[in-house]
Amino acid sequence: MGGKKGLPNLDNARSFYQGGAASSYVAKRASKAKWKAEDLFLETTLKGVQGKVLDAPVGTGRFLELYRQRGLEVVGVDCSNAMLALARAAHPWATLEHGDVASLRFGNGAFDVVVCVRLLHLVATYEVAHIMRELFRGAKSHVILTTYLDAKPYVSGRSQVHVRNDAVWNQPEWHPPKPQLLMKSKGVPYYALHYTR
């Protein structure tokens, strides 16, 4: 899975979040409206949810404290050792593993809830279907994700919106979610989706 530098694909997403990008990640984004909207959505969605959570990619552990407050057992997975180091330093109690969302080591239905925030817009369209299969394979009853949903791509820095993809919607055995608008970036809507079964 390779590609030109700057274009959305898993290889570029993997390499970007090593080193310096990891160390400045939270400071650059924590005050942004989209982060606050995501935080509120996840906090609201997890009310009443019980069991075990997979957060992939877990990044710097942004939601780990929320899971703990909700009494949820959590496993966080990320391919960036730099991001995991920051997560471990801030949340030494958490179970955090080096791994890849494209190839999760867990069995089918190993988690009650799978959370995937701020990833799908960073990968190529052809990679979305595979990632979605892995996320849903690991989930028993809930999948929570965020993504841009728009047929019209735009390029902004290194990210390109292109996720108006059948893979997002075609999930047999799962109730299709009603997308919740979190924000717009350059006029392109960014949504949270909560699948249940």
Side-chain angles (χ1 to χ4, degrees):
M1 283 186 254
K4 293 181 181 178
K5 188 174 181 179
L7 293 178
N9 63 63
L10 267 170
D11 284 345
N12 286 339
R14 289 179 185 120
S15 62
F16 182 83
Y17 289 104
Q18 305 296 333
S23 63
S24 62
Y25 185 77
V26 174
K28 283 184 175 178
R29 294 163 178 82
S31 63
K32 294 193 175 182
K34 57 188 165 191
W35 266 40
K36 292 175 183 174
E38 287 167 342
D39 291 346
L40 181 59
F41 175 79
L42 194 59
E43 186 176 337
T44 302
T45 304
L46 290 176
K47 283 182 181 172
V49 171
Q50 296 179 333
K52 194 170 181 180
V53 177
L54 172 66
D55 190 327
V58 71
T60 59
R62 174 179 165 197
F63 302 121
L64 291 175
E65 194 56 43
L66 173 62
Y67 302 139
R68 186 157 80 159
Q69 290 170 5
R70 290 278 184 272
L72 299 166
E73 181 185 351
V74 63
V75 175
V77 171
D78 206 285
C79 68
S80 167
N81 285 319
M83 297 289 264
L84 285 171
L86 293 169
R88 288 179 177 127
H91 310 282
W93 52 267
T95 302
L96 302 172
E97 300 183 5
H98 185 267
D100 200 301
V101 70
S103 182
L104 297 169
R105 71 165 185 84
F106 309 103
N108 296 350
F111 296 88
D112 299 283
V113 186
V114 171
V115 176
C116 181
V117 172
R118 306 208 57 73
L119 172 71
L120 293 179
H121 66 289
L122 299 178
V123 304
T125 302
Y126 66 85
E127 295 171 314
V128 172
H130 176 74
I131 291 170
M132 294 290 285
R133 279 194 298 274
E134 278 294 276
L135 297 174
F136 282 86
R137 183 184 65 76
K140 203 179 295 177
S141 52
H142 300 269
V143 174
I144 299 166
L145 59 88
T146 63
T147 186
Y148 292 93
L149 292 174
D150 198 278
K152 177 184 75 173
Y154 79 88
V155 175
S156 173
R158 60 186 189 82
S159 64
Q160 181 178 0
V161 176
H162 51 73
V163 186
R164 191 65 167 185
N165 185 304
D166 285 346
V168 174
W169 305 111
N170 296 336
Q171 299 302 324
E173 303 176 20
W174 291 83
H175 300 293
K178 180 180 179 183
Q180 180 175 325
L181 180 65
L182 296 179
M183 58 156 286
K184 287 189 176 182
S185 179
K186 296 189 179 179
V188 180
Y190 179 71
Y191 290 97
L193 299 97
H194 177 205
Y195 297 81
T196 59
R197 70 172 174 188

